[in-house]
Amino acid sequence: MSRTFKHFLLAAGMLAMGASAAGAATLDDVKARSALNCGVSQGLPGFSNPDDKGNWAGLDVDFCRAIAAAIFNDPTKVKFSPLSAKDRFTALQSGAIDVLSRNTTWTMSRDTTLGFNFAGVMYYDGQGFMVRKSLNLKSVSDLNGASICVQTGTTNELNVGDYFRTNNLKYELIAFATIDETIKAYDSGRCDAFTADQSQLYAVRLKLTNAADHVVLQQVISKEPLGPLVRQGDDQWFDLVKWTYFAMLDAEELGVNSKNVDQMGSTANPEIKRLLGTDGKFGEAIGISNDWVARIVKHVGNYGEVFDRNLGPATPLAINRGQNNLWNNGGLQYGMPVR
Amino acid sequence: MTDARLPDSAPARRWSWTDPALRSAVIQVSLAILLIWMAWSFFANAQANLARQGIASGFGFLDNSAGFGITQTLIPYSESMSYGRAFLVGLLNTLLVAVLGIILATVIGFLVGVARLSENVVIRALASAYVEVTRNLPPLFQILFWYLAVLATMPNPRQGWAFGLQPLLQSLANGAASIGLSPLADGLRSLAGDVSGPGVFLSNRGLVVPRPVFEADFNIIFGVLVVGIIAAWIVKRWAHVRREKTGQPFPTFWVGLALVLGPAIIAGFVLGWPMTFEKPELRGFNFAGGVRIIPEFVALLVALSVYTAGFIAEIVRAGILAVSKGQTEAAKSLGMRSGPTMRLIIIPQAMRVIVPPLTSQYLNLTKNSTLGVAVGYPDLFAVFAGTTLNQTGQAIEIIAMTMAVYLTISILTSMLMGWYNKRVALVER
Ligand SMILES: N[C@@H](CCC(=O)N[C@@H](CS)C(=O)NCC(=O)O)C(=O)O
């Protein structure tokens, strides 16, 4: 409650006093305060999770680090704000954060009526269900009549309603404010199923008392393109965030990674030269240094490296690239060309 | 300050800053204008900035379909209904937990408050412990405790504890028969026939009980019940007046109870209890049919009542201590026992001290009900200022509406308690 009210007061104050966040040059603000304010989730292994030393790690976290690396040549100049699903949009609208990188589904209403712009799709996902193995369920329709736990303020809360209604299935949906409470309620047996985007289910499973007792059903009931977003109305900042994402994909596609990036700058390949800033003034066009992509790749890595480090087979999540493979590898990830 | 005018020469009103009435009027009018201007520019500015940021505004969203399900709905609701409807559902859920919470907290608070002054050491110590524990643990913690700690001990619906309503009714019937009340026994037996199989289930999905389905004839019984209540009220007034006049006591409670229940029960037997029970049944994951009380509601209700009762107990104790000892002594010397002394002499006087702080506890309880979102209770704050706000992004409209609702509830509670306070105030003679 207090957090919502804080954000609301912030938003109301800013909107009313005319110190409108929109139109203001976000990049200038970020440079002036020497830190990027980045909204992430409150604890989702693989996406944004503080480790035992209090350092944030994950795919969503690394995206913010990449922006900071591009601007400051220092991936640590980020201030992370952990936000619940419910509070995240108010935080971005009010200007409390510069970018929201928090497994947020790109939907039309969020893009239009909430006043945001989505910069890309960091992770192609779909909504799934986690259940107890002992129930022996095969598909979502086996959940007829079940109690389902969900986090409030998500697309998931709405998709369940659509899916169960159109398929004439009965259900009881219990919506909790934060992820911890949702997990505890499911763990205690209040619900037969936990619903969220599949990637989040894998992460949540790791937090249960006995992860091995639970399975994530194969079936998905929705499209959940998760990506970073910014306030509408600051095109320069929007461009910078969008191209940070494309650059990470392009680097992977061109074989530029954190280990070879220093040598790659001197190749003859014109595409790589443009990407790494040894040719052209692409960084200047978005208000930062021309070697911006070299900084990103050196400090944070290309998209594939970031994916593998946080979600890949070597991690407890062990998620396949699948749809998140590059377009030329059978996936959907497609970086626009730097030229 | 040195006014040399003669006392009887009526001062002619002049436009002068030295006239305090005029000065204060001018200041107040300018302040009001300033406030209105500020509010207006706040609003206009916000409107313009929202438009510039591309954020929707206005109240049109209330007609859009909500799309999300709600666990507890006191009025019919489905996902395809509007945000406006969801608002009403949330509001009713808030009122339900607030009203029941206030009643429960008051009952527990009074009992514990009186117990803290008991002569019995054990009772006194228990009451003190209750107050210390409940007042000093944050309410959110208590809600989570009742929800998670208590819920975790409950079995799932398949292994849920089933309580047979039928065996209970059957044994009641046998009891009635053994003391010669054969019509009652017959009635209970026929009821038991209606509820074959277990009717009450307790599990981590909540408490499920049979839903009574009344037939048309049952209205007669309700009518008799209402008449009984009116009669009991009249008797109470009469007994009160008589006691004021003659000092004679009257067993109002028992006579009232007999008047309320007696005729209704007789009517019920005459008409053969025209009602049936819709029994809950385990179907797949959950129970179908019957009435279900969800654990989220129980946890929130119990936590809020128990927490607030700790404060009320202290208020009651302070109120009783504020009544002078002479009152007790006077009652004793008239030969009154301690029970009636408390009920008829001390508490009525203590009420004057108790009611004002009690009001603020009631307001606190209502406000604390917004913590229910932590355990997934769909109150107004969760449904409207939570889910709806998140989906529509219209923070200004939604927070304004939500604040208006809580403000209205608070003002109504205060007015009601103010009216009650006037009634219990000491009438000086
Ligand atoms: N992609 C969906 C769901 C995002 C979401 O918040 N999922 C929850 C599901 S568990 C989550 O990540 N919670 C983490 C947190 O609140 O910290 C959306 O954008 O609405």
Side-chain angles (χ1 to χ4, degrees):
Chain A
M1 163 165 189
S2 61
R3 187 190 280 277
T4 309
F5 262 113
K6 208 179 74 199
H7 287 311
F8 164 69
L9 290 178
L10 245 160
M14 290 202 158
L15 290 167
M17 294 312 151
S20 158
T26 311
L27 180 58
D28 293 344
D29 293 346
V30 172
K31 282 180 177 164
R33 82 170 94 85
S34 212
L36 172 75
N37 288 338
C38 169
V40 294
S41 69
Q42 293 175 313
L44 209 51
F47 286 86
S48 60
N49 204 30
D51 70 9
D52 17 321
K53 285 178 231 87
N55 301 318
W56 286 88
L59 184 76
D60 287 340
V61 162
D62 279 347
F63 183 70
C64 281
R65 292 206 195 284
I67 300 174
I71 301 172
F72 301 114
N73 198 18
D74 181 354
T76 63
K77 289 198 169 160
V78 189
K79 201 179 136 264
F80 291 104
S81 301
L83 296 166
S84 75
K86 175 162 100 50
D87 296 332
R88 58 187 154 168
F89 299 128
T90 326
L92 184 59
Q93 284 176 338
S94 70
I97 53 175
D98 304 311
V99 58
L100 179 64
S101 177
R102 191 203 167 285
N103 49 41
T104 298
T105 305
W106 186 344
T107 70
M108 182 159 176
S109 63
R110 289 172 179 177
D111 204 343
T112 56
T113 52
L114 295 197
F116 299 135
N117 277 332
F118 280 82
V121 180
M122 276 303 276
Y123 189 102
Y124 287 94
D125 209 343
Q127 179 171 346
F129 293 81
M130 176 168 61
V131 294
R132 288 177 178 74
K133 260 191 195 142
S134 57
L135 290 177
N136 250 323
L137 302 184
K138 296 283 165 304
S139 72
V140 179
S141 55
D142 294 340
L143 282 170
N144 192 8
S147 297
I148 301 171
C149 282
V150 72
Q151 192 172 345
T152 191
T154 58
T155 47
N156 311 125
E157 197 177 3
L158 299 172
N159 295 334
V160 173
D162 286 355
Y163 185 86
F164 278 67
R165 214 155 17 111
T166 41
N167 290 289
N168 265 323
L169 303 169
K170 278 201 166 50
Y171 72 106
E172 177 198 35
L173 192 68
I174 308 124
F176 296 86
T178 70
I179 182 154
D180 281 342
E181 286 144 4
T182 325
I183 292 175
K184 278 190 198 123
Y186 172 71
D187 222 359
S188 76
R190 173 65 178 92
C191 299
D192 302 299
F194 188 124
T195 190
D197 305 340
Q198 278 196 332
S199 64
Q200 289 141 37
L201 292 177
Y202 296 126
V204 164
R205 203 167 78 104
L206 298 177
K207 290 187 159 192
L208 296 173
T209 328
N210 209 340
D213 291 350
H214 303 265
V215 281
V216 175
L217 298 180
Q218 287 287 308
Q219 192 184 349
V220 293
I221 63 165
S222 70
K223 292 189 286 187
E224 305 289 335
L226 312 179
L229 54 156
V230 296
R231 275 181 300 278
Q232 189 175 306
D234 184 349
D235 286 356
Q236 182 195 34
W237 181 246
F238 178 38
D239 283 344
L240 191 154
V241 175
K242 183 167 58 184
W243 282 96
T244 301
Y245 162 66
F246 289 148
M248 291 170 79
L249 290 174
D250 288 335
E252 183 184 7
E253 189 179 331
L254 296 170
V256 181
N257 60 40
S258 54
K259 285 174 209 82
N260 66 15
V261 60
D262 288 331
Q263 296 87 279
M264 282 293 211
S266 47
T267 63
N269 184 332
E271 275 187 275
I272 296 180
K273 284 170 88 173
R274 280 195 299 273
L275 187 71
L276 297 181
T278 42
D279 183 19
K281 298 211 171 351
F282 292 96
E284 259 171 46
I286 50 173
I288 53 180
S289 157
N290 284 326
D291 65 346
W292 61 293
V293 183
R295 294 171 167 188
I296 294 175
V297 177
K298 185 154 73 204
H299 294 299
V300 185
N302 66 33
Y303 181 85
E305 286 181 284
V306 170
F307 190 101
D308 284 344
R309 175 164 70 238
N310 296 303
L311 308 168
T315 68
L317 285 148
I319 298 178
N320 285 329
R321 276 293 284 273
Q323 291 181 319
N324 292 296
N325 236 316
L326 291 181
W327 62 285
N328 50 5
N329 268 337
L332 296 169
Q333 292 291 1
Y334 187 106
M336 307 305 151
V338 173
R339 83 160 305 136
Chain B
M1 293 298 115
T2 50
D3 200 339
R5 267 176 301 195
L6 290 171
D8 55 352
S9 71
R13 282 211 169 252
R14 284 182 300 120
W15 291 103
S16 155
W17 269 118
T18 51
D19 183 344
L22 185 70
R23 193 169 54 207
S24 94
V26 169
I27 292 178
Q28 291 194 27
V29 168
S30 353
L31 264 178
I33 292 176
L34 191 74
L35 262 175
I36 292 172
W37 175 79
M38 268 170 61
W40 180 81
S41 59
F42 185 98
F43 180 77
N45 230 327
Q47 204 72 16
N49 282 329
L50 284 173
R52 187 141 43 87
Q53 269 186 250
I55 301 174
S57 61
F59 288 93
F61 73 94
L62 287 172
D63 293 330
N64 299 351
S65 73
F68 56 90
I70 303 180
T71 12
Q72 176 183 295
T73 56
L74 300 181
I75 49 174
Y77 170 85
S78 82
E79 299 86 349
S80 48
M81 291 186 184
S82 67
Y83 285 123
R85 185 76 175 188
F87 169 85
L88 273 185
V89 171
L91 175 61
L92 288 175
N93 285 344
T94 290
L95 289 177
L96 179 73
V97 78
V99 170
L100 290 181
I102 284 173
I103 295 173
L104 252 174
T106 310
V107 172
I108 305 174
F110 267 77
L111 291 178
V112 175
V114 172
R116 282 208 75 181
L117 298 168
S118 162
E119 319 255 274
N120 184 320
V121 190
V122 180
I123 293 181
R124 212 163 57 220
L126 280 176
S128 302
Y130 176 92
V131 169
E132 289 313 320
V133 171
T134 55
R135 277 199 321 172
N136 289 312
L137 293 174
L140 180 61
F141 174 86
Q142 296 195 31
I143 294 170
L144 288 173
F145 167 80
W146 286 104
Y147 190 58
L148 294 171
V150 177
L151 187 68
T153 64
M154 300 269 179
N156 74 35
R158 247 156 300 212
Q159 297 138 7
W161 299 311
F163 299 106
L165 203 54
Q166 194 185 30
L168 181 76
L169 288 172
Q170 203 72 55
S171 57
L172 277 180
N174 292 342
S178 71
I179 53 171
L181 293 171
S182 51
L184 181 63
D186 290 342
L188 287 170
R189 278 208 188 94
S190 79
L191 261 187
D194 287 341
V195 289
S196 57
V200 180
F201 298 92
L202 187 65
S203 70
N204 58 19
R205 301 302 149 83
L207 180 69
V208 196
V209 296
R211 179 200 301 276
V213 184
F214 301 110
E215 284 155 32
D217 275 358
F218 210 89
N219 287 336
I220 300 174
I221 302 178
F222 280 130
V224 172
L225 197 69
V226 171
V227 171
I229 291 172
I230 295 173
W233 183 74
I234 292 172
V235 166
K236 183 180 167 253
R237 301 287 309 181
W238 167 81
H240 184 77
V241 171
R242 193 180 70 144
R243 202 187 63 212
E244 298 272 276
K245 274 211 205 99
T246 66
Q248 283 182 36
F250 186 82
T252 321
F253 178 77
W254 295 110
V255 172
L257 194 69
L259 279 175
V260 172
L261 294 182
I265 290 177
I266 293 170
F269 281 114
V270 170
L271 296 169
W273 295 110
M275 66 189 279
T276 52
F277 286 99
E278 177 199 277
K279 272 183 298 119
E281 262 175 88
L282 184 61
R283 233 178 268 149
F285 291 99
N286 271 322
F287 294 95
V291 183
R292 192 156 63 96
I293 302 163
I294 58 173
E296 291 75 28
F297 171 73
V298 178
L300 183 63
L301 178 68
V302 171
L304 288 180
S305 313
V306 164
Y307 172 74
T308 313
F311 292 88
I312 294 181
E314 282 302 271
I315 292 170
V316 169
R317 185 175 74 115
I320 292 173
L321 288 177
V323 178
S324 95
K325 245 195 145 76
Q327 298 285 324
T328 320
E329 281 158 7
K332 265 204 188 116
S333 65
L334 287 175
M336 277 183 103
R337 278 172 297 117
S338 66
T341 307
M342 194 52 114
R343 240 179 331 109
L344 299 172
I345 300 196
I346 310 296
I347 299 269
Q349 298 188 66
M351 282 317 262
R352 288 177 292 134
V353 184
I354 292 174
V355 170
L358 195 59
T359 310
S360 64
Q361 288 310 320
Y362 289 176
L363 300 182
N364 280 345
L365 188 143
T366 309
K367 281 179 268 176
N368 281 337
S369 71
T370 57
L371 294 171
V373 68
V375 292
Y377 180 70
D379 76 328
L380 180 69
F381 199 79
V383 168
F384 199 61
T387 309
T388 306
L389 195 168
N390 177 274
Q391 279 177 25
T392 61
Q394 297 194 229
I396 307 237
E397 292 84 353
I398 288 177
I399 298 285
M401 276 177 77
T402 312
M403 288 202 298
V405 166
Y406 284 101
L407 199 66
T408 310
I409 298 178
S410 292
I411 291 174
L412 286 180
T413 314
S414 300
M415 274 166 52
L416 215 75
M417 293 299 280
W419 167 80
Y420 182 66
N421 197 26
K422 279 221 188 71
R423 282 204 45 191
V424 298
L426 187 66
V427 187
E428 306 267 0
R429 276 184 260 238

